Amino acid sequence: MHLGRACAAVAIGVLVLSAVARAGLLDLSVNGSSTSINATGNSLPDLVDDLINAKGKFQSIDGQSYNASLNYGGLTNALTLDSNAAGTDVTLRIPRTGFVKQFTGSSRDAVQEQIEDFLLKQGSSAYADFVKLVNETTVLGVVDGNPRGSTAMMSDHAFYLFGMNKPVRADTAAGGKGAPAFSIDASAGVTNNDRLEKVDEDFYNIAIGTGFVGDRIGLTFSTVGNFRSINDSDSSSLGFELGLPIVIIPAAKNGSGICWQVTPVGSLAGGLSYDLAQGGTFWGIGVTSSLSMQVDQFVFTLANQITHYEGFTLQIDEYEFETNVSQEVVKNGLGVAYLFGAAYVDGSVTYTNFLHDAAVDNYWSPAIGLGYRFTPTSGVHIGYRGDFADQYTASAGEISFYFGY
């Protein structure tokens, strides 16, 4: 039953909601009939599994009735568990939503199985609802609701590939090439989140893209991934993106004048964290516009994007995993590049807005970089990009390689 217990612990752990307070990442407080325990950790499923089975940090609670309360990344009293001394009568409560369910069995294992069956079968919709609220109320959301979530990852990639960086990655002097034929983009950074005390976050992103490129139209395919570590609680996202860059107004052969590219984009992605007991899958559809004008050595860019993301259900045998995500992400940015020979410097600022509830619902992203073009459509770019919101900042270094046919 080890797999079942782990699944139940993950499912229980995801039911985490209440008012925001400043605190550590994961904190489980237990008041027994004769013992009180306060345990912290970086894996919620492990903490909850130890509690239910009275082992590890909670071994001394064995044989006692208890009341347990979970603090999840600053969400105080997010989940409570009340148990009798034998562990055969357990009541699960979510105070903020009023959710209450009692599980009774002949043994601790029997109760464990009941909790597992409910949360992974009958309670799958409740799982999705609570994950959605986690996205809306805490920056620990894996799938949505903050600049490091899966939806933000996908919107960022399309925006900077087809929107803000298009004029320098596919030179306007080349007649408005639709997109690079092959590209690798990587970045790494840190987040300073003042909403939580003593919380450190590192993140890493990579995207690999390829495509067929013409003077007026192209077709690209990209694989995009990220990895986050928040106080050693790990999460990751993976997505696939299909783009159709269309040059509406091509630049002049000498590169001067106006160039306008519009790119419809479709995506399929998801995020998962065992430690934070979250996960979900979604599809997305959107459009990115890049309007640029070259005057002498300067290239000015206006980039705009809107994308809709919608969660969908995965069913594996009798288990059902729902994702309650319905989000629109809007990005608007201004950029300028100065070309000197084969090299260039560029800078931009972008404003991102989540149109539906999100923990970080809007933020500014300044960027600056230096590039060198081996050919009109091939080169390398290094730079810095940040994300700035109320009590939230992130800084990352970036490097890109792109190669045209």
Side-chain angles (χ1 to χ4, degrees), residues 156-181:
D156 276 354
H157 178 262
F159 182 78
Y160 287 99
L161 177 63
F162 300 116
M164 188 57 68
N165 289 341
K166 184 264 169 190
V168 289
R169 292 182 64 143
D171 188 7
T172 56
K177 292 293 186 180

mmCIF file of all heavy atoms in Angstrom, residues 156-181:
data_model
loop_
_atom_site.group_PDB
_atom_site.id
_atom_site.type_symbol
_atom_site.label_atom_id
_atom_site.label_comp_id
_atom_site.label_asym_id
_atom_site.label_seq_id
_atom_site.Cartn_x
_atom_site.Cartn_y
_atom_site.Cartn_z
ATOM 1 N N ASP A 156 5.544 33.606 -22.322
ATOM 2 C CA ASP A 156 6.847 34.253 -22.459
ATOM 3 C C ASP A 156 7.571 33.780 -23.714
ATOM 4 O O ASP A 156 8.129 34.582 -24.473
ATOM 5 C CB ASP A 156 7.717 33.963 -21.236
ATOM 6 C CG ASP A 156 7.449 34.899 -20.076
ATOM 7 O OD1 ASP A 156 6.665 35.854 -20.257
ATOM 8 O OD2 ASP A 156 7.999 34.668 -18.987
ATOM 9 N N HIS A 157 7.586 32.470 -23.912
ATOM 10 C CA HIS A 157 8.358 31.943 -25.043
ATOM 11 C C HIS A 157 7.837 32.479 -26.367
ATOM 12 O O HIS A 157 8.604 32.964 -27.209
ATOM 13 C CB HIS A 157 8.323 30.410 -25.042
ATOM 14 C CG HIS A 157 9.067 29.825 -26.218
ATOM 15 N ND1 HIS A 157 8.424 29.421 -27.357
ATOM 16 C CD2 HIS A 157 10.394 29.625 -26.424
ATOM 17 C CE1 HIS A 157 9.322 28.976 -28.227
ATOM 18 N NE2 HIS A 157 10.520 29.096 -27.679
ATOM 19 N N ALA A 158 6.526 32.417 -26.576
ATOM 20 C CA ALA A 158 5.962 32.898 -27.838
ATOM 21 C C ALA A 158 6.178 34.398 -28.004
ATOM 22 O O ALA A 158 6.489 34.878 -29.109
ATOM 23 C CB ALA A 158 4.478 32.563 -27.896
ATOM 24 N N PHE A 159 6.040 35.154 -26.918
ATOM 25 C CA PHE A 159 6.155 36.605 -27.005
ATOM 26 C C PHE A 159 7.558 37.041 -27.404
ATOM 27 O O PHE A 159 7.735 37.907 -28.272
ATOM 28 C CB PHE A 159 5.776 37.236 -25.665
ATOM 29 C CG PHE A 159 5.822 38.739 -25.674
ATOM 30 C CD1 PHE A 159 4.798 39.470 -26.250
ATOM 31 C CD2 PHE A 159 6.881 39.422 -25.103
ATOM 32 C CE1 PHE A 159 4.824 40.862 -26.264
ATOM 33 C CE2 PHE A 159 6.928 40.810 -25.106
ATOM 34 C CZ PHE A 159 5.894 41.532 -25.687
ATOM 35 N N TYR A 160 8.571 36.446 -26.786
ATOM 36 C CA TYR A 160 9.937 36.889 -27.072
ATOM 37 C C TYR A 160 10.477 36.284 -28.362
ATOM 38 O O TYR A 160 11.344 36.870 -29.008
ATOM 39 C CB TYR A 160 10.847 36.580 -25.885
ATOM 40 C CG TYR A 160 10.585 37.508 -24.730
ATOM 41 C CD1 TYR A 160 9.792 37.115 -23.653
ATOM 42 C CD2 TYR A 160 11.072 38.809 -24.733
ATOM 43 C CE1 TYR A 160 9.517 37.980 -22.608
ATOM 44 C CE2 TYR A 160 10.804 39.689 -23.691
ATOM 45 C CZ TYR A 160 10.021 39.268 -22.636
ATOM 46 O OH TYR A 160 9.739 40.143 -21.612
ATOM 47 N N LEU A 161 9.981 35.118 -28.772
ATOM 48 C CA LEU A 161 10.427 34.544 -30.042
ATOM 49 C C LEU A 161 9.812 35.263 -31.233
ATOM 50 O O LEU A 161 10.507 35.666 -32.165
ATOM 51 C CB LEU A 161 10.061 33.054 -30.094
ATOM 52 C CG LEU A 161 10.403 32.332 -31.402
ATOM 53 C CD1 LEU A 161 11.909 32.335 -31.645
ATOM 54 C CD2 LEU A 161 9.867 30.898 -31.379
ATOM 55 N N PHE A 162 8.489 35.450 -31.199
ATOM 56 C CA PHE A 162 7.790 36.001 -32.350
ATOM 57 C C PHE A 162 7.495 37.501 -32.236
ATOM 58 O O PHE A 162 7.144 38.132 -33.228
ATOM 59 C CB PHE A 162 6.465 35.271 -32.559
ATOM 60 C CG PHE A 162 6.624 33.800 -32.810
ATOM 61 C CD1 PHE A 162 6.103 32.876 -31.912
ATOM 62 C CD2 PHE A 162 7.276 33.343 -33.934
ATOM 63 C CE1 PHE A 162 6.238 31.521 -32.139
ATOM 64 C CE2 PHE A 162 7.421 31.982 -34.165
ATOM 65 C CZ PHE A 162 6.903 31.070 -33.269
ATOM 66 N N GLY A 163 7.596 38.045 -31.024
ATOM 67 C CA GLY A 163 7.222 39.431 -30.829
ATOM 68 C C GLY A 163 8.394 40.352 -30.615
ATOM 69 O O GLY A 163 8.863 41.030 -31.529
ATOM 70 N N MET A 164 8.920 40.359 -29.394
ATOM 71 C CA MET A 164 9.915 41.353 -29.034
ATOM 72 C C MET A 164 11.256 41.137 -29.714
ATOM 73 O O MET A 164 11.920 42.085 -30.134
ATOM 74 C CB MET A 164 10.099 41.367 -27.510
ATOM 75 C CG MET A 164 10.971 42.500 -27.025
ATOM 76 S SD MET A 164 10.354 44.127 -27.535
ATOM 77 C CE MET A 164 8.845 44.237 -26.580
ATOM 78 N N ASN A 165 11.703 39.878 -29.857
ATOM 79 C CA ASN A 165 13.037 39.636 -30.408
ATOM 80 C C ASN A 165 13.038 39.383 -31.911
ATOM 81 O O ASN A 165 14.083 39.202 -32.507
ATOM 82 C CB ASN A 165 13.690 38.442 -29.703
ATOM 83 C CG ASN A 165 14.077 38.764 -28.280
ATOM 84 O OD1 ASN A 165 14.196 39.929 -27.920
ATOM 85 N ND2 ASN A 165 14.262 37.742 -27.460
ATOM 86 N N LYS A 166 11.871 39.349 -32.521
ATOM 87 C CA LYS A 166 11.806 39.000 -33.934
ATOM 88 C C LYS A 166 12.664 39.885 -34.837
ATOM 89 O O LYS A 166 13.360 39.383 -35.719
ATOM 90 C CB LYS A 166 10.342 39.013 -34.388
ATOM 91 C CG LYS A 166 10.136 38.559 -35.835
ATOM 92 C CD LYS A 166 10.056 39.721 -36.801
ATOM 93 C CE LYS A 166 10.116 39.232 -38.239
ATOM 94 N NZ LYS A 166 10.272 40.348 -39.171
ATOM 95 N N PRO A 167 12.669 41.217 -34.698
ATOM 96 C CA PRO A 167 13.420 42.042 -35.642
ATOM 97 C C PRO A 167 14.924 41.769 -35.648
ATOM 98 O O PRO A 167 15.575 42.008 -36.664
ATOM 99 C CB PRO A 167 13.129 43.474 -35.166
ATOM 100 C CG PRO A 167 11.824 43.374 -34.473
ATOM 101 C CD PRO A 167 11.866 42.042 -33.782
ATOM 102 N N VAL A 168 15.489 41.312 -34.540
ATOM 103 C CA VAL A 168 16.933 41.064 -34.518
ATOM 104 C C VAL A 168 17.255 39.595 -34.707
ATOM 105 O O VAL A 168 18.322 39.235 -35.180
ATOM 106 C CB VAL A 168 17.563 41.583 -33.208
ATOM 107 C CG1 VAL A 168 17.564 43.100 -33.194
ATOM 108 C CG2 VAL A 168 16.847 41.042 -31.989
ATOM 109 N N ARG A 169 16.319 38.695 -34.347
ATOM 110 C CA ARG A 169 16.578 37.269 -34.563
ATOM 111 C C ARG A 169 16.356 36.877 -36.010
ATOM 112 O O ARG A 169 16.948 35.929 -36.492
ATOM 113 C CB ARG A 169 15.690 36.426 -33.654
ATOM 114 C CG ARG A 169 16.025 36.557 -32.196
ATOM 115 C CD ARG A 169 15.168 35.667 -31.342
ATOM 116 N NE ARG A 169 15.407 34.270 -31.630
ATOM 117 C CZ ARG A 169 15.399 33.315 -30.710
ATOM 118 N NH1 ARG A 169 15.189 33.619 -29.454
ATOM 119 N NH2 ARG A 169 15.600 32.069 -31.026
ATOM 120 N N ALA A 170 15.463 37.554 -36.697
ATOM 121 C CA ALA A 170 15.261 37.348 -38.124
ATOM 122 C C ALA A 170 15.325 38.732 -38.765
ATOM 123 O O ALA A 170 14.344 39.449 -38.820
ATOM 124 C CB ALA A 170 13.924 36.664 -38.385
ATOM 125 N N ASP A 171 16.499 39.110 -39.227
ATOM 126 C CA ASP A 171 16.818 40.494 -39.594
ATOM 127 C C ASP A 171 15.851 41.054 -40.634
ATOM 128 O O ASP A 171 15.533 40.413 -41.631
ATOM 129 C CB ASP A 171 18.247 40.525 -40.144
ATOM 130 C CG ASP A 171 18.753 41.932 -40.372
ATOM 131 O OD1 ASP A 171 18.057 42.881 -39.984
ATOM 132 O OD2 ASP A 171 19.839 42.059 -40.953
ATOM 133 N N THR A 172 15.376 42.273 -40.389
ATOM 134 C CA THR A 172 14.484 42.926 -41.348
ATOM 135 C C THR A 172 15.168 43.125 -42.700
ATOM 136 O O THR A 172 14.507 43.175 -43.731
ATOM 137 C CB THR A 172 14.020 44.285 -40.808
ATOM 138 O OG1 THR A 172 15.168 45.078 -40.490
ATOM 139 C CG2 THR A 172 13.187 44.116 -39.567
ATOM 140 N N ALA A 173 16.476 43.215 -42.708
ATOM 141 C CA ALA A 173 17.195 43.381 -43.974
ATOM 142 C C ALA A 173 17.140 42.131 -44.840
ATOM 143 O O ALA A 173 17.464 42.171 -46.021
ATOM 144 C CB ALA A 173 18.652 43.757 -43.705
ATOM 145 N N ALA A 174 16.714 41.015 -44.277
ATOM 146 C CA ALA A 174 16.640 39.765 -45.039
ATOM 147 C C ALA A 174 15.278 39.593 -45.701
ATOM 148 O O ALA A 174 14.945 38.514 -46.166
ATOM 149 C CB ALA A 174 16.930 38.585 -44.126
ATOM 150 N N GLY A 175 14.482 40.656 -45.739
ATOM 151 C CA GLY A 175 13.190 40.585 -46.403
ATOM 152 C C GLY A 175 12.086 40.094 -45.495
ATOM 153 O O GLY A 175 11.034 39.666 -45.966
ATOM 154 N N GLY A 176 12.295 40.150 -44.182
ATOM 155 C CA GLY A 176 11.237 39.758 -43.263
ATOM 156 C C GLY A 176 11.113 38.267 -43.085
ATOM 157 O O GLY A 176 10.020 37.707 -43.155
ATOM 158 N N LYS A 177 12.193 37.562 -42.893
ATOM 159 C CA LYS A 177 12.121 36.126 -42.657
ATOM 160 C C LYS A 177 11.173 35.829 -41.507
ATOM 161 O O LYS A 177 11.164 36.515 -40.493
ATOM 162 C CB LYS A 177 13.509 35.564 -42.349
ATOM 163 C CG LYS A 177 14.475 35.604 -43.532
ATOM 164 C CD LYS A 177 14.055 34.665 -44.643
ATOM 165 C CE LYS A 177 15.109 34.606 -45.745
ATOM 166 N NZ LYS A 177 14.723 33.699 -46.829
ATOM 167 N N GLY A 178 10.416 34.769 -41.646
ATOM 168 C CA GLY A 178 9.367 34.496 -40.677
ATOM 169 C C GLY A 178 9.878 34.106 -39.314
ATOM 170 O O GLY A 178 9.313 34.508 -38.309
ATOM 171 N N ALA A 179 10.941 33.311 -39.231
ATOM 172 C CA ALA A 179 11.442 32.819 -37.946
ATOM 173 C C ALA A 179 12.767 32.116 -38.194
ATOM 174 O O ALA A 179 13.052 31.698 -39.311
ATOM 175 C CB ALA A 179 10.433 31.863 -37.313
ATOM 176 N N PRO A 180 13.588 31.974 -37.153
ATOM 177 C CA PRO A 180 14.803 31.183 -37.317
ATOM 178 C C PRO A 180 14.462 29.728 -37.571
ATOM 179 O O PRO A 180 13.417 29.234 -37.146
ATOM 180 C CB PRO A 180 15.534 31.356 -35.981
ATOM 181 C CG PRO A 180 14.464 31.730 -35.018
ATOM 182 C CD PRO A 180 13.468 32.527 -35.795
ATOM 183 N N ALA A 181 15.311 29.017 -38.314
ATOM 184 C CA ALA A 181 15.051 27.618 -38.635
ATOM 185 C C ALA A 181 15.348 26.703 -37.459
ATOM 186 O O ALA A 181 14.768 25.642 -37.331
ATOM 187 C CB ALA A 181 15.876 27.199 -39.845
#
